[in-house]
Amino acid sequence: MIKNGLYNVVGAVIRMGLTVLTIPLLIRLIGVEEYGLWTLTSSTVGIVSLAEGGLSVSTTVFLSKDLANDDADSASQTLTVIVGTMILLATIAAIVLWVGAPRLIGLFPLLEQRQYLAAVQALQVGGLVIWAQLLQRVLVGVEQAHQQYGVMNVLNTLQITLSHLGMLIVAWLGGRTTELMQWQAVVSVGVLIIHGWVGWLLLRHFQIHIAWSNTKGMDIAKYSLMTWLASLGSALFNKVDRILVGASLGTGLLGVYAAITNVTVQINSFSAVAIQPVLPAISNHIARKEFDLLTLQRQVKQALDINSIIALGLGAGLLALAPQIIQVVIPGQSPRSYLSEFNTATIIYSLYSVNAVGYYVLLAVKDVNKFMVIQLVSGIISLALITIGLHSFGLLGAIAGNVGYLGVFVLTFLGMKNLNIPLRLWLDWLKFPLAWFLSVIFINTAYQINLNYKIFIFALEVIVILNWFKSTQNINFLTLIRQLTQKKC
């Protein structure tokens, strides 16, 4: 699992770097107001992406089981149901965006007439973006089921690279929100074609054919519905918050909010992809009825350790360099501007990101009812706190309201319970990294420290946490690196 996880990490490092570098450059080119408008339209498109109905995760889970059993007929049924349904849902979503764009943008009364017209055009183009990206998710699920994480990450990184570099070129040439969305449409369709070709290569020897099964359809529908409801909670946390901020504080402060959270959310994206292989790994284990508890516990502990060290380590780095990052991400601001907002977001996203193992475990064991309730309730609580916070304390209150989503930690509790891992045991696994991170927070927020000293202290902190990881996993990093450079067996 470490090898597949590191394939994900390498791709995530590149994607995270591109995303973080693009934000300040884009703001310099189009201004924070226009960046806020872009955030508003892209977040709206993101919410409509919920039309995927949980089918992307279902692809990985059900197809992994079919491949483990070498059952071509069942795999054909799985793909027939999922691909056919996704084409229908993607087409409906695209039509809704095209026809409903004026009404959707009309929900934001603070927009000027110019901004309104640009946003409407961008949303209409976004219909094609969402159609292509929803179909991509099914094909990515096929790649994950085959555990082709190297290929998947190359394609994801290619898409992010083309998307971000293209956006900078478009903005440099004078393009704004509408033109940026047009470029996203071009990239999304192009990468969809490549994913389709990869999917064909993976499945061409498996005798896949069109085969509808009402029983398989109902199984997928039930699982996907629960997963979809759960992803609704995540969307409330990651997308609707921007819409609330934009509607109440305007596109200027929305631009600042988006710049901060777009940086700190990389903590979750980066730490989660490193342990993503735990989903098909556990699914395969259960499908083959080789439920070796000790083996599973080792896999889960390894995933939890990796998740913790990456999430909390990234958070530590952002806290150490917060003033400098603010200057880069939000051009024209002093080093202390929005420091409290940035630190608050970093701490919340770092702690929230440690729940990724529970997230994947509950998906793997198909305990989607509890998964759905926890995600949805946490998202609603977070939105409520954001709404209260932004009306009471402005931007800082809105960011602090994100703390409501820490309720997803219940996912880890239930996931471990499903695998018969005692509470005391997995809390003991987390004890050191959480204590380490609390010390990092104290050092970086309680004292005004010179940048050189901060870097030195951060280096010491990294050495401490890496030594802990090495001792718990009994890993020789040099040997691991040599193994990863060899051809995958």
Side-chain angles (χ1 to χ4, degrees):
M1 191 185 73
I2 286 182
K3 191 167 185 177
N4 281 333
L6 285 175
Y7 282 135
N8 281 1
V9 167
V10 171
V13 167
I14 298 172
R15 295 193 295 272
M16 182 178 70
L18 286 169
T19 299
V20 172
L21 289 174
T22 298
I23 294 169
L25 293 175
L26 194 58
I27 291 177
R28 288 178 186 275
L29 288 169
I30 66 177
V32 70
E33 287 275 352
E34 189 70 23
Y35 182 72
L37 184 63
W38 164 249
T39 299
L40 194 66
T41 55
S42 58
S43 295
T44 304
V45 171
I47 291 173
V48 176
S49 70
L50 285 169
E52 62 100 24
L55 290 173
S56 55
V57 175
S58 294
T59 306
T60 301
V61 173
F62 282 86
L63 190 57
S64 292
K65 181 178 179 180
D66 297 334
L67 295 176
N69 294 328
D70 197 25
D71 191 338
D73 289 334
S74 183
S76 297
Q77 294 169 0
T78 295
L79 291 173
T80 299
V81 171
I82 291 178
V83 174
T85 305
M86 186 64 91
I87 290 174
L88 176 63
L89 293 176
T91 303
I92 293 173
I95 294 172
V96 167
L97 269 182
W98 178 269
V99 175
R103 287 183 176 274
L104 290 172
I105 298 302
L107 298 174
F108 306 101
L110 297 181
L111 294 181
E112 300 173 359
Q113 182 65 16
R114 175 196 64 81
Q115 293 176 314
Y116 171 82
L117 294 175
V120 168
Q121 292 176 346
L123 275 194
Q124 291 175 331
V125 176
L128 179 57
V129 174
I130 209 64
W131 187 86
Q133 290 184 355
L134 290 181
L135 294 180
Q136 278 184 36
R137 294 185 186 186
V138 170
L139 296 171
V140 167
V142 172
E143 293 159 8
Q144 289 179 335
H146 284 84
Q147 300 197 34
Q148 293 297 314
Y149 289 93
V151 174
M152 182 192 75
N153 277 291
V154 167
L155 294 181
N156 288 344
T157 302
L158 174 66
Q159 182 163 4
I160 292 292
T161 302
L162 292 175
S163 172
H164 285 65
L165 293 182
M167 285 172 62
L168 293 176
I169 294 172
V170 169
W172 180 65
L173 293 174
R176 292 298 181 260
T177 297
T178 302
E179 291 77 18
L180 293 176
M181 192 66 77
Q182 290 170 345
W183 175 248
Q184 296 301 312
V186 172
V187 173
S188 297
V189 172
V191 176
L192 171 63
I193 293 171
I194 300 175
H195 275 297
W197 177 68
V198 171
W200 176 77
L201 290 177
L202 292 173
L203 295 168
R204 60 178 175 169
H205 299 304
F206 208 61
Q207 298 180 342
I208 297 297
H209 53 277
I210 296 177
W212 181 269
S213 166
N214 289 332
T215 301
K216 177 60 72 73
M218 288 302 298
D219 289 342
I220 291 175
K222 291 176 183 177
Y223 183 82
S224 298
L225 177 61
M226 294 298 103
T227 306
W228 177 80
L229 290 173
S231 65
L232 178 61
S234 179
L236 292 177
F237 178 58
N238 291 311
K239 301 296 182 183
V240 179
D241 62 331
R242 287 156 166 73
I243 292 176
L244 289 174
V245 173
S248 299
L249 302 181
T251 54
L253 284 178
L254 172 59
V256 175
Y257 179 92
I260 291 174
T261 54
N262 282 344
V263 170
T264 53
V265 77
Q266 300 307 314
I267 298 171
N268 182 59
S269 302
F270 187 50
S271 59
V273 295
I275 62 154
Q276 201 172 45
V278 77
L279 176 56
I282 293 177
S283 293
N284 283 341
H285 231 79
I286 297 172
R288 291 171 179 168
K289 303 187 185 302
E290 299 173 358
F291 203 93
D292 184 339
L293 181 59
L294 291 178
T295 300
L296 268 182
Q297 284 187 359
R298 284 196 298 270
Q299 283 187 325
V300 172
K301 183 183 186 306
Q302 187 179 80
L304 191 62
D305 287 350
I306 294 171
N307 184 211
S308 301
I309 193 174
I310 295 177
L312 302 181
L314 285 173
L318 292 183
L319 288 173
L321 300 174
Q324 290 71 34
I325 293 173
I326 290 171
Q327 277 188 301
V328 173
V329 172
I330 311 173
Q333 301 297 324
S334 69
R336 314 307 295 182
S337 297
Y338 304 114
L339 183 60
S340 296
E341 288 85 350
F342 187 87
N343 284 340
T344 300
T346 298
I347 293 169
I348 291 172
Y349 275 89
S350 297
L351 294 174
Y352 148 65
S353 299
V354 180
N355 88 94
V357 174
Y359 177 97
Y360 286 124
V361 167
L362 280 185
L363 286 179
V365 300
K366 300 183 182 180
D367 195 355
V368 289
N369 290 328
K370 295 173 184 176
F371 180 89
M372 174 268 295
V373 171
I374 294 165
Q375 290 271 84
L376 192 57
V377 170
S378 298
I380 292 173
I381 291 173
S382 178
L383 280 188
L385 292 177
I386 289 171
T387 302
I388 295 170
L390 67 86
H391 286 297
S392 302
F393 304 103
L395 183 61
L396 178 59
I399 290 178
N402 285 270
V403 73
Y405 208 64
L406 290 179
V408 294
F409 251 106
V410 179
L411 292 173
T412 301
F413 173 81
L414 294 177
M416 298 300 183
K417 187 176 180 181
N418 267 280
L419 297 181
N420 296 315
I421 299 176
L423 175 64
R424 180 177 297 179
L425 180 60
W426 66 264
L427 284 180
D428 188 61
W429 296 344
L430 285 174
K431 182 171 60 179
F432 184 87
L434 288 177
W436 175 85
F437 188 61
L438 288 176
S439 70
V440 169
I441 294 173
F442 179 75
I443 291 171
N444 285 283
T445 58
Y447 300 102
Q448 298 289 335
I449 305 175
N450 178 275
L451 177 60
N452 292 329
Y453 287 122
K454 274 193 171 187
I455 294 175
F456 176 73
I457 293 171
F458 176 63
L460 292 179
E461 292 167 345
V462 170
I463 291 172
V464 170
I465 197 69
L466 284 178
N467 272 320
W468 165 81
F469 181 70
K470 180 181 177 181
S471 65
T472 58
Q473 295 297 323
N474 194 26
I475 288 174
N476 186 309
F477 288 114
L478 292 178
T479 301
L480 179 60
I481 291 171
R482 282 196 296 268
Q483 290 175 349
L484 291 171
T485 58
Q486 296 173 355
K487 184 177 180 180
K488 184 178 179 182
C489 295

